[in-house]
Amino acid sequence: MSFQEAFARRLEIIRPQMNQIRDFIRTRPPRLTPGIKRLVDVLHQRSVPVYLISGGLMGVITPVALELNIPLQNIYANRLKFFFNGEFAGYDDNEPTSKNGGKGQIIKM
Protein backbone atom coordinates (compact mmCIF):
# COMPACT_ATOMS: atom_id res chain seq x y z
CA MET A 1 0.00 0.00 0.00
CA SER A 2 1.35 3.44 -0.89
CA PHE A 3 1.75 6.20 1.66
CA GLN A 4 -1.06 8.10 -0.06
CA GLU A 5 -3.45 5.13 0.22
CA ALA A 6 -2.55 4.56 3.88
CA PHE A 7 -2.90 8.28 4.66
CA ALA A 8 -6.31 8.46 2.95
CA ARG A 9 -7.56 5.36 4.78
CA ARG A 10 -6.41 6.63 8.18
CA LEU A 11 -8.12 9.96 7.61
CA GLU A 12 -11.34 8.23 6.54
CA ILE A 13 -11.30 6.25 9.79
CA ILE A 14 -10.45 9.24 12.01
CA ARG A 15 -12.47 11.87 10.09
CA PRO A 16 -11.04 14.76 12.11
CA GLN A 17 -13.27 17.78 12.67
CA MET A 18 -11.86 21.29 12.35
CA ASN A 19 -12.63 22.02 16.01
CA GLN A 20 -10.71 18.87 17.03
CA ILE A 21 -7.61 20.11 15.20
CA ARG A 22 -7.94 23.55 16.84
CA ASP A 23 -8.42 21.99 20.28
CA PHE A 24 -5.40 19.75 19.75
CA ILE A 25 -3.18 22.71 18.87
CA ARG A 26 -4.54 24.75 21.80
CA THR A 27 -4.12 22.00 24.39
CA ARG A 28 -0.85 20.61 23.02
CA PRO A 29 1.25 23.55 21.87
CA PRO A 30 4.39 22.64 19.94
CA ARG A 31 7.48 21.80 21.96
CA LEU A 32 10.66 22.53 20.14
CA THR A 33 13.78 20.42 20.36
CA PRO A 34 16.34 22.18 22.58
CA GLY A 35 18.59 24.38 20.47
CA ILE A 36 16.40 24.43 17.33
CA LYS A 37 15.20 28.01 17.86
CA ARG A 38 18.81 29.21 18.16
CA LEU A 39 19.86 27.22 15.08
CA VAL A 40 17.03 28.65 12.97
CA ASP A 41 17.80 32.16 14.25
CA VAL A 42 21.42 31.77 13.17
CA LEU A 43 20.33 30.50 9.75
CA HIS A 44 18.03 33.51 9.38
CA GLN A 45 20.86 35.85 10.39
CA ARG A 46 23.01 34.30 7.66
CA SER A 47 20.17 34.66 5.11
CA VAL A 48 19.88 30.89 4.71
CA PRO A 49 16.34 29.94 3.65
CA VAL A 50 14.67 27.61 6.14
CA TYR A 51 11.90 25.19 5.18
CA LEU A 52 9.65 22.83 7.10
CA ILE A 53 8.86 19.66 5.14
CA SER A 54 6.56 17.28 6.94
CA GLY A 55 4.28 14.34 6.27
CA GLY A 56 2.16 15.78 9.08
CA LEU A 57 -0.70 18.22 8.92
CA MET A 58 -0.32 21.84 7.85
CA GLY A 59 -2.56 23.02 10.69
CA VAL A 60 -0.29 21.39 13.27
CA ILE A 61 2.98 22.43 11.59
CA THR A 62 2.07 26.09 11.04
CA PRO A 63 2.38 27.12 14.74
CA VAL A 64 5.91 25.68 14.73
CA ALA A 65 6.81 27.73 11.65
CA LEU A 66 5.39 30.87 13.26
CA GLU A 67 7.38 30.27 16.45
CA LEU A 68 10.55 29.82 14.39
CA ASN A 69 9.81 32.78 12.07
CA ILE A 70 9.76 30.50 9.04
CA PRO A 71 7.78 32.04 6.18
CA LEU A 72 4.48 30.26 5.59
CA GLN A 73 5.37 29.79 1.91
CA ASN A 74 8.31 27.65 3.12
CA ILE A 75 6.07 25.05 4.75
CA TYR A 76 5.27 21.82 2.95
CA ALA A 77 2.80 19.56 4.74
CA ASN A 78 -0.52 17.84 4.16
CA ARG A 79 -3.59 20.04 4.00
CA LEU A 80 -6.91 18.84 5.28
CA LYS A 81 -10.16 19.98 3.70
CA PHE A 82 -13.25 20.84 5.71
CA PHE A 83 -16.84 21.68 4.86
CA PHE A 84 -18.20 25.05 6.04
CA ASN A 85 -19.62 23.37 9.16
CA GLY A 86 -16.15 22.11 10.14
CA GLU A 87 -16.69 18.47 9.15
CA PHE A 88 -13.88 16.59 7.44
CA ALA A 89 -14.08 16.77 3.64
CA GLY A 90 -10.83 15.07 2.66
CA TYR A 91 -7.27 16.17 2.04
CA ASP A 92 -5.35 17.85 -0.74
CA ASP A 93 -3.95 14.90 -2.68
CA ASN A 94 -1.97 17.31 -4.88
CA GLU A 95 0.41 18.07 -2.01
CA PRO A 96 3.71 16.27 -2.69
CA THR A 97 3.93 15.33 1.01
CA SER A 98 0.84 13.14 0.56
CA LYS A 99 2.72 10.84 -1.81
CA ASN A 100 5.55 8.33 -1.67
CA GLY A 101 8.81 10.20 -2.21
CA GLY A 102 7.06 13.57 -1.84
CA LYS A 103 9.59 15.02 0.57
CA GLY A 104 12.40 14.20 -1.85
CA GLN A 105 10.46 15.91 -4.65
CA ILE A 106 10.17 19.07 -2.56
CA ILE A 107 13.87 19.05 -1.72
CA LYS A 108 14.70 18.76 -5.44
CA MET A 109 12.52 21.81 -6.15
Side-chain angles (χ1 to χ4, degrees):
M1 177 181 302
S2 71
F3 175 79
Q4 193 170 32
E5 289 173 295
F7 186 61
R9 285 188 185 183
R10 287 193 312 257
L11 287 173
E12 279 303 317
I13 291 168
I14 298 168
R15 299 196 61 78
Q17 305 278 323
M18 185 181 293
N19 64 335
Q20 291 174 314
I21 301 294
R22 286 184 184 146
D23 288 346
F24 178 85
I25 294 166
R26 184 180 47 76
T27 60
R28 294 171 184 84
R31 293 181 304 181
L32 299 177
T33 301
I36 193 67
K37 177 99 173 96
R38 177 74 183 121
L39 171 62
V40 172
D41 286 346
V42 168
L43 292 171
H44 287 316
Q45 290 168 5
R46 294 180 181 179
S47 299
V48 175
V50 179
Y51 292 81
L52 284 179
I53 303 171
S54 173
L57 304 177
M58 181 68 78
V60 177
I61 301 300
T62 299
V64 174
L66 294 173
E67 189 170 343
L68 295 172
N69 297 313
I70 295 173
L72 297 181
Q73 68 267 20
N74 290 5
I75 304 172
Y76 292 88
N78 293 303
R79 296 176 191 269
L80 297 182
K81 296 178 184 178
F82 297 97
F83 292 110
F84 288 113
N85 65 1
E87 290 182 9
F88 179 69
Y91 72 99
D92 184 352
D93 60 359
N94 291 315
E95 283 291 334
T97 53
S98 74
K99 301 176 177 117
N100 288 346
K103 291 178 187 177
Q105 283 180 330
I106 294 165
I107 291 168
K108 286 179 185 175
M109 292 181 347

